[in-house]
Amino acid sequence: MCKRCKTKPVIKLSSGENLCKGCFLNYFEKKVRKTIRVHKLIGKKENLLVAVSGGKDSISVLEVLLGIYKGNKNIKVSALLIDEGIKGYREYCIKKTEEYCKKNKVKLNIVSFNKEFGFTLDKIVKGRRPCSVCGVLRRSLLNTKARELGATKLVTGHNLDDEAQTIIMNQFRRNMDASSRLGPLTGNENNNDFVRRIKPLYFMPEKETMTYAFLKNLTHDFNECPYNIDSYRNQIREMLNKFEELYPGTKYSIVSSFMEILPLLKKKEKVAKIKKCKICFEPSSSEICQKCKILNEIKSSKH
Ligand code: SF4
Ligand code: ZN
């Protein structure tokens, strides 16, 4: 029975508490509000741009934000979708996102690899590691477009599971520099070249986000990108899921203890001098940015 209103439960939280549909939706939205408030993710006046993929996380974060800031003229919410050109996968996500945004009157901006770079991911993927290429190009596009669109914050749908996996991966690979760039709010308020990123679902486990998306009828599409073959992350995910089952609350402990040391990591972070890329003039820690290095390599190999 739901502990709060004594009706049929739909979920058992990692705390052991059972909740019915209504109580769960309230609990979910309240917890996201708390993350936003405690970690000062959103100010009084913002132009929020939600990076949407059509998947459950990004649509859920968009849905919660629309609910929280409904009628607030100082907080604008719009969406940005990157079409990498992944046949049989991305088309469906685009269709779903378009339908959602139309229904909820959200301005949706779509940017494609094909238009921006002259190729689709499918076309250049052979012989390369898809996620490495895709990740760098996506990140770069998200930042450039967010800046062009005048966004004050770029919102992503990363959840507790994503973050716990990344923390452990960085730890196992001794990559503390990468960890120092994690957290619910990243970027520097004094650097206008980078649009700051926020993760309102930071403390929401994947299971809860999935339940939220399902109960709100946001998406039935839980399929994955065909290139999602990052076996290292998948192994870490499986390991954490096993631990979570045996010891509920493990993922939360990883993330919350990480939050305690994050300020120290940020202080220690190598302060690489940010230069401008010689080719595209975007901020970069080296003479030529990662994106331009990848684009040059692709150009010289003629795909
Ligand atoms: Fe890109 Fe990899 Fe994500 Fe697919 S799984 S969208 S290739 S980063
Ligand atoms: Zn560049």
Side-chain angles (χ1 to χ4, degrees):
M1 281 292 141
C2 171
K3 205 178 148 194
R4 303 182 189 186
C5 66
K6 312 285 173 225
T7 50
K8 199 173 152 238
V10 290
I11 188 169
K12 184 176 187 171
L13 305 180
S14 54
S15 60
E17 192 178 354
N18 287 314
L19 292 180
C20 71
K21 181 177 173 180
C23 289
F24 171 73
L25 293 177
N26 271 338
Y27 149 89
F28 189 94
E29 287 164 8
K30 226 170 124 187
K31 206 166 148 191
V32 178
R33 277 176 195 266
K34 191 176 168 196
T35 304
I36 294 174
R37 193 181 63 244
V38 172
H39 297 281
K40 300 186 176 68
L41 303 189
I42 297 173
K44 290 208 157 49
K45 197 169 166 45
E46 300 267 13
N47 190 2
L48 304 175
L49 185 65
V50 182
V52 283
S53 65
K56 59 172 182 18
D57 298 314
S58 55
I59 295 284
S60 294
V61 78
L62 181 54
E63 170 85 5
V64 181
L65 292 179
L66 290 176
I68 296 178
Y69 296 107
K70 196 172 168 190
N72 184 335
K73 290 200 172 61
N74 291 319
I75 309 283
K76 283 209 281 174
V77 182
S78 56
L80 172 63
L81 186 145
I82 308 278
D83 176 9
E84 308 88 348
I86 305 173
K87 220 170 177 346
Y89 166 70
R90 200 39 101 204
E91 303 93 326
Y92 182 76
C93 304
I94 295 177
K95 192 173 152 259
K96 286 284 148 195
T97 310
E98 279 174 339
E99 280 169 15
Y100 177 88
C101 288
K102 197 170 166 208
K103 193 171 142 212
N104 292 283
K105 299 190 178 61
V106 175
K107 182 170 177 1
L108 172 64
N109 306 276
I110 301 183
V111 178
S112 74
F113 276 16
N114 204 15
K115 197 154 167 244
E116 298 291 324
F117 305 128
F119 54 78
T120 62
L121 190 67
D122 284 340
K123 213 167 168 194
I124 53 102
V125 90
K126 213 171 159 206
R128 297 185 175 92
R129 291 175 59 203
C131 293
S132 309
V133 178
C134 179
V136 170
L137 299 183
R138 267 179 68 85
R139 259 196 307 279
S140 164
L141 263 189
L142 281 174
N143 189 58
T144 325
K145 292 296 157 186
R147 212 180 47 219
E148 278 174 25
L149 291 165
T152 52
K153 301 265 168 62
L154 183 66
V155 185
T156 66
H158 289 97
N159 61 40
L160 184 85
D161 290 48
D162 300 325
E163 197 77 352
Q165 288 155 19
T166 312
I167 292 166
I168 296 295
M169 279 166 72
N170 290 344
Q171 196 86 23
F172 283 8
R173 288 172 161 168
R174 205 178 167 213
N175 192 354
M176 299 321 279
D177 245 17
S179 279
S180 69
R181 292 188 291 272
L182 294 176
L185 168 66
T186 54
N188 185 332
E189 58 188 332
N190 301 318
N191 186 341
N192 295 333
D193 286 335
F194 287 114
V195 178
R196 299 194 88 185
R197 295 183 182 208
I198 59 170
K199 303 170 189 164
L201 304 184
Y202 199 75
F203 292 105
M204 310 313 292
E206 179 138 317
K207 180 179 154 193
E208 293 180 15
T209 312
M210 216 167 205
T211 308
Y212 181 82
F214 178 76
L215 293 175
K216 286 231 135 184
N217 210 10
L218 299 178
T219 174
H220 295 293
D221 174 39
F222 298 116
N223 70 340
E224 297 247 335
C225 170
Y227 299 127
N228 184 13
I229 44 168
D230 184 347
S231 59
Y232 196 72
R233 179 177 285 273
N234 288 339
Q235 281 169 347
I236 299 274
R237 177 188 291 126
E238 271 176 35
M239 180 187 79
L240 291 182
N241 285 347
K242 265 189 208 144
F243 260 79
E244 182 70 36
E245 221 181 294
L246 289 170
Y247 312 105
T250 296
K251 292 172 191 170
Y252 179 76
S253 296
I254 293 171
V255 173
S256 53
S257 52
F258 172 75
M259 287 297 289
E260 286 178 33
I261 59 159
L262 185 58
L264 293 173
L265 287 181
K266 287 212 184 282
K267 254 193 209 163
K268 263 191 79 184
E269 187 186 353
K270 278 187 208 143
V271 218
K273 212 168 168 274
I274 298 293
K275 308 171 187 137
K276 293 249 177 203
C277 167
K278 274 186 168 171
I279 301 176
C280 68
F281 307 111
E282 285 293 316
S284 164
S285 52
S286 50
E287 301 264 292
I288 296 177
C289 75
Q290 278 299 103
K291 174 198 70 182
C292 288
K293 280 181 194 158
I294 288 179
L295 293 179
N296 280 346
E297 186 272 315
I298 290 171
K299 225 199 249 157
S300 59
S301 70
K302 294 194 185 115
H303 300 335

